Amino acid sequence: MTTDTHLKQHDATREKLLASAYCEIRRQGYQGASINNILESTGLTKGALYHHFANKQALGLAVIDEVIAVNLNDWFIQRIRDSATPVETLLDVIAQLGARLDEEAILLGCPLNNLIQEMSPLDEQFRHRLNVILEDWQSAIDSALHKSQQQGRIKPEIDCSAAALFILSAWEGCIGMAKNRQSIRPFQICLEQLQGYIRSLMIL
Amino acid sequence: MTTDTHLKQHDATREKLLASAYCEIRRQGYQGASINNILESTGLTKGALYHHFANKQALGLAVIDEVIAVNLNDWFIQRIRDSATPVETLLDVIAQLGARLDEEAILLGCPLNNLIQEMSPLDEQFRHRLNVILEDWQSAIDSALHKSQQQGRIKPEIDCSAAALFILSAWEGCIGMAKNRQSIRPFQICLEQLQGYIRSLMIL
DNA sequence: ACGATTAGATACCAAACGGTATGGATGTGT
DNA sequence: ACACATCCATACCGTTTGGTATCTAATCGT
């Protein structure tokens, strides 16, 4: 076996563990996530897990850094940053969110927000890494609003940083409330209101 | 001992258990809440607990019904329903929220939202009871907006039910985001934006 | 080709978990 | 006053938890 395939194999089991842990944490929360469940669904054993991760906390932090942050970056942050018409792209992304999420995804909620609510008061390392992601996200929205403001698409008196924070909060709030209503309809209504708020920042 | 004092004693230990369970759940989440911790902080034992509650789930549900729902009702719903100028009262309550919560309260988040995020996908009984509270809350905001709309304080084209859902979501979202920032300042900024949204529904 | 390192399986562990069975007080109804 | 129910403490139980020690292959560096 060459070095490359070996490294690939190494990474493969690590990725399997990460993916499985991500799933389990998403369903049960971090505290409720069972190491044995994670291993069972991968077919691996504790030997493999504790070879790649020092303990449960390290596994959880790796899920945050290597799964959640990456997903958010691909799905949201990059698209907003790269857009020539950022506010419109922001509205687009929100619309896609309402249209594409199925009921199960809504029931499980936002992986980032789930961990924030559960772990922020309990573990400073969790809190800090989640905070970094959150600030990155807010900064992306802030920049998008600012850019659009310079394009004359957003009212000059708007405080873009404050608006970005509110959009982020309301976004997570919408997903969070939807988690408790089994239907997808209130979620879409809520997102429409959020879009309405964003449009109220814009010049007609 | 008379019947009255006996009943009071009975209720007293039950209330002690509820209060302690509320505290523990607020700090650790429901799954993370330890029965032994709850008992230790009351000085009671398992005999007492399992005399008053069938199991941990029943204790958790009682905390929802008898502590969280009651608190929310006293602090928010009644004040909104009783107000002659509901939108103004709503804005007041939000302002008080931003001014009165200390850092610890923010770090621990909203007890209702905490349980929603943790338990909605895991336990149908939890989900249902939390949903009842949520709908009650939304309905209170809805009625408040509607009443103010009839008073000519809110624009006639506003969909009060949708706006109420969004206000609720954004509210919880603000508290949820604040949970991750140790400072109280972003929380206040976020609430100011929420107030701005509500004012945008009003007639100047 | 051979010693050293890495990957991962197996078996085990102490601690914490929620929950139960029993028994002794204390109070209640008649 | 006596039978009965209520309230709660003590001791215990089986299960699950995250974590460790050990051992065997496989692979790497030289």
Side-chain angles (χ1 to χ4, degrees):
Chain A
M1 205 184 248
T2 73
T3 300
D4 276 0
T5 55
H6 177 230
L7 281 180
K8 271 179 193 165
Q9 177 57 33
H10 174 84
D11 288 357
T13 66
R14 196 189 138 91
E15 293 301 316
K16 266 211 289 194
L17 288 167
L18 274 177
S20 176
Y22 170 75
C23 260
E24 173 82 359
I25 289 174
R26 190 161 159 70
R27 284 190 158 68
Q28 312 283 345
Y30 170 77
Q31 296 184 89
S34 156
I35 298 283
N36 286 331
N37 274 26
I38 292 171
L39 293 174
E40 196 172 351
S41 83
T42 57
L44 294 167
T45 62
K46 293 200 172 177
L49 202 166
Y50 285 100
H51 176 73
H52 289 277
F53 303 96
N55 49 35
K56 191 186 181 185
Q57 187 199 31
L59 177 61
L61 294 176
V63 166
I64 293 176
D65 289 340
E66 300 176 41
V67 182
I68 295 177
V70 170
N71 282 353
L72 180 67
N73 206 61
D74 292 350
W75 153 259
F76 182 83
I77 295 181
Q78 286 304 329
R79 290 172 62 182
I80 296 288
R81 282 207 213 277
D82 294 346
S83 170
T85 56
V87 196
E88 288 80 2
T89 303
L90 177 60
L91 289 169
D92 268 2
V93 172
I94 294 176
Q96 288 175 31
L97 191 73
R100 287 196 355 195
L101 287 192
D102 58 349
E103 302 235 342
E104 199 208 355
I106 285 181
L107 194 78
L108 294 180
C110 169
L112 178 62
N113 194 38
N114 290 352
L115 283 173
I116 288 175
Q117 301 311 314
E118 179 186 3
M119 297 304 295
S120 285
L122 294 181
D123 186 304
E124 172 57 23
Q125 296 207 53
F126 272 78
R127 195 201 64 78
H128 178 255
R129 299 201 190 205
L130 295 165
N131 191 331
V132 169
I133 301 178
L134 220 47
E135 286 187 350
D136 208 37
W137 195 354
Q138 180 185 347
S139 139
I141 301 179
D142 185 3
S143 301
L145 295 179
H146 205 73
K147 193 167 169 185
S148 294
Q149 199 173 36
Q150 288 176 329
Q151 292 173 352
R153 303 282 296 131
I154 289 211
K155 296 172 186 167
E157 70 270 21
I158 297 295
D159 177 345
C160 292
S161 169
L165 177 61
F166 181 67
I167 291 170
L168 193 55
S169 301
W171 175 310
E172 293 293 6
C174 287
I175 302 180
M177 290 301 98
K179 211 170 161 178
N180 193 48
R181 316 259 170 131
Q182 295 188 305
S183 161
I184 203 170
R185 187 77 196 108
F187 176 54
Q188 292 169 337
I189 292 175
C190 204
L191 284 186
E192 282 166 25
Q193 295 293 308
L194 175 56
Q195 290 179 310
Y197 166 79
I198 295 175
R199 286 200 201 89
S200 81
L201 306 176
M202 299 173 68
I203 296 165
L204 305 178
Chain B
M1 206 184 250
T2 73
T3 300
D4 276 1
T5 55
H6 178 231
L7 281 181
K8 271 180 193 165
Q9 177 58 32
H10 174 84
D11 288 358
T13 66
R14 196 189 138 92
E15 293 301 316
K16 266 211 288 195
L17 288 167
L18 274 177
S20 175
Y22 170 75
C23 260
E24 173 81 359
I25 289 174
R26 188 162 161 71
R27 285 189 157 69
Q28 312 282 347
Y30 171 78
Q31 297 184 87
S34 156
I35 298 284
N36 286 330
N37 273 56
I38 292 171
L39 294 173
E40 196 171 351
S41 83
T42 57
L44 295 167
T45 61
K46 294 199 173 179
L49 203 168
Y50 286 100
H51 175 74
H52 289 278
F53 303 96
N55 47 37
K56 191 186 181 185
Q57 187 199 32
L59 177 62
L61 294 175
V63 166
I64 294 176
D65 289 340
E66 300 175 43
V67 182
I68 295 178
V70 169
N71 282 354
L72 180 66
N73 205 62
D74 292 349
W75 153 260
F76 182 82
I77 295 182
Q78 286 302 332
R79 289 171 63 182
I80 296 289
R81 285 208 211 277
D82 294 346
S83 171
T85 57
V87 196
E88 288 79 1
T89 303
L90 177 60
L91 288 169
D92 268 2
V93 172
I94 294 175
Q96 288 176 31
L97 191 72
R100 289 197 353 196
L101 287 192
D102 58 348
E103 302 236 341
E104 198 207 356
I106 285 181
L107 194 77
L108 294 180
C110 169
L112 178 61
N113 194 38
N114 290 352
L115 283 173
I116 288 175
Q117 302 310 315
E118 179 186 4
M119 296 304 294
S120 286
L122 294 181
D123 187 304
E124 172 57 23
Q125 297 206 53
F126 272 78
R127 195 200 64 78
H128 178 255
R129 300 204 189 203
L130 295 165
N131 188 282
V132 168
I133 300 178
L134 221 47
E135 287 187 348
D136 208 37
W137 196 354
Q138 180 185 346
S139 140
I141 301 179
D142 185 3
S143 301
L145 295 179
H146 205 73
K147 192 167 170 183
S148 294
Q149 200 173 36
Q150 288 175 329
Q151 292 173 354
R153 302 282 297 131
I154 289 210
K155 296 172 186 167
E157 70 269 21
I158 297 294
D159 178 344
C160 291
S161 169
L165 177 61
F166 181 66
I167 291 170
L168 193 55
S169 301
W171 176 308
E172 293 294 6
C174 288
I175 302 180
M177 290 302 97
K179 211 170 162 178
N180 193 50
R181 316 258 169 129
Q182 295 189 305
S183 162
I184 204 169
R185 188 74 196 112
F187 177 54
Q188 293 169 336
I189 292 175
C190 203
L191 283 186
E192 281 167 25
Q193 295 292 308
L194 175 57
Q195 290 179 308
Y197 166 79
I198 295 175
R199 286 199 201 90
S200 80
L201 308 175
M202 298 174 69
I203 295 165
L204 306 178

